[in-house]
């Protein structure tokens, strides 16, 4: 996928109907999703448990755009090949998840995927500065990871700092947590170009009434136009 700084919306399927993931993915893509965001949680690094490689492999069959897999797990390195085999296009690991994030990013790229590095709200931007040469994306968490539907934490200064460091390099800045038409303009103005949205996309709709998904995404896009 060619690099672009145009704003992209990545619905988080954590907010989809767990009994109908295939059709949910197809529905949000038809309604205009740019990426599909998959939140992987291990019940250890974060207090929740979600998807493993077999589930991600099953999702892959339905994703026609770009599958963005966010690992909220520790350790990471021993699972990289499994998520590559499952079909992830981008694999994002947390800088807090292990002592050697540099090596983790190298391993992700060696496995044939794009590599992202994520920062929790309490982690300073400086933690990723030396990792930028290896990163295709920096994910700035605007909630504490683990659950959907949380209130947005303002990280705009962190986003601006990272955007300044990126300069003209082809590195995305993704925002995950509390993205709505009210908060999206704040982070886009600061330099973000990929917006993860869960409940803000899926609210009010279903696979049988997916127009609400499109309306919700159009509202987010309109807010940053």
């Amino acid at each position: 996928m060619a690099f672009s700084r145009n704003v992209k919306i990545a619905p988080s399927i954590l907010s989809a109907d767990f009994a109908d993931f295939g059709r949910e993915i197809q529905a949000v893509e038809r309604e205009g999703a740019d990426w599909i965001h998959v939140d992987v949680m291990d019940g250890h690094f974060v207090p929740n448990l979600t998807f493993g490689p077999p589930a991600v492999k099953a999702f892959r069959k339905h994703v026609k755009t770009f599958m963005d897999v966010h690992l909220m797990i520790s350790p990471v390195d021993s699972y990289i090949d499994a998520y590559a085999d499952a079909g992830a296009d981008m694999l994002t690991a947390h800088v807090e998840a292990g002592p050697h994030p540099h090596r983790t990013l190298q391993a992700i790229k060696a496995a044939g995927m794009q590599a992202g590095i994520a920062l929790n709200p309490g982690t300073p931007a400086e933690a990723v500065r030396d990792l930028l040469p290896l990163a295709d994306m920096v994910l700035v968490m605007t909630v504490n990871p683990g659950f959907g539907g949380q209130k947005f934490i303002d990280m705009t200064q962190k986003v601006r700092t990272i955007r300044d460091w990126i300069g003209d390099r082809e590195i995305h800045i993704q925002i995950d947590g509390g993205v709505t038409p009210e908060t999206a303009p704040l982070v886009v103005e600061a330099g973000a170009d990929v917006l993860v949205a869960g409940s803000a996309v899926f609210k009010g709709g279903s696979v049988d009434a997916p127009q609400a998904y499109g309306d919700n995404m159009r509202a987010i896009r309109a807010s940053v136009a």
Side-chain angles (χ1 to χ4, degrees):
M1 180 177 288
F3 182 85
S4 168
R5 294 202 191 281
N6 293 337
V7 174
K8 292 161 282 295
I9 297 179
S12 168
I13 62 170
L14 191 64
S15 295
D17 179 352
F18 275 37
D20 210 354
F21 277 126
R23 290 205 301 155
E24 288 277 47
I25 290 167
Q26 294 165 13
V28 290
E29 287 192 336
R30 282 196 303 269
E31 290 294 329
D34 299 292
W35 294 9
I36 297 296
H37 186 83
V38 181
D39 288 306
V40 174
M41 306 181 193
D42 64 358
H44 164 69
F45 182 70
V46 293
N48 200 359
L49 189 65
T50 58
F51 315 115
V56 174
K57 187 172 185 177
F59 303 155
R60 176 75 264 181
K61 300 172 186 175
H62 303 280
V63 176
K64 302 293 187 252
T65 54
F66 185 86
M67 188 162 68
D68 162 37
V69 178
H70 175 195
L71 298 184
M72 287 167 273
I73 69 174
S74 178
V76 171
D77 293 11
S78 55
Y79 294 96
I80 289 171
D81 287 343
Y83 285 101
D85 292 343
D89 293 306
M90 171 90 75
L91 197 65
T92 298
H94 273 256
V95 71
E96 306 91 356
H100 306 295
H102 214 262
R103 184 168 65 194
T104 298
L105 292 177
Q106 289 174 322
I108 291 171
K109 294 174 86 72
M113 297 173 285
Q114 293 188 42
I117 191 71
L119 287 163
N120 285 333
T123 302
E126 190 65 38
V128 300
R129 187 169 191 173
D130 290 340
L131 300 172
L132 292 178
L134 284 172
D136 297 292
M137 185 174 76
V138 178
L139 191 171
V140 177
M141 294 297 300
T142 44
V143 297
N144 288 298
F147 296 95
Q150 296 183 64
K151 185 177 179 181
F152 176 82
I153 301 171
D154 189 348
M155 292 283 125
T156 49
Q157 186 53 54
K158 184 185 290 186
V159 174
R160 287 192 185 93
T161 297
I162 293 169
R163 183 68 191 86
D164 286 345
W165 291 340
I166 288 172
D168 60 1
R169 287 180 285 191
E170 295 186 352
I171 303 172
H172 297 292
I173 297 179
Q174 183 178 77
I175 301 299
D176 187 353
V179 170
T180 66
E182 291 69 45
T183 60
L186 303 176
V187 293
V188 169
E189 186 277 331
D193 64 284
V194 185
L195 306 178
V196 175
S199 53
V201 167
F202 286 96
K203 67 181 180 182
S206 69
V207 292
D208 297 316
Q211 183 178 343
Y213 300 162
D215 291 343
N216 293 337
M217 286 187 278
R218 283 186 286 274
I220 294 171
R221 291 190 201 281
S223 75
V224 300

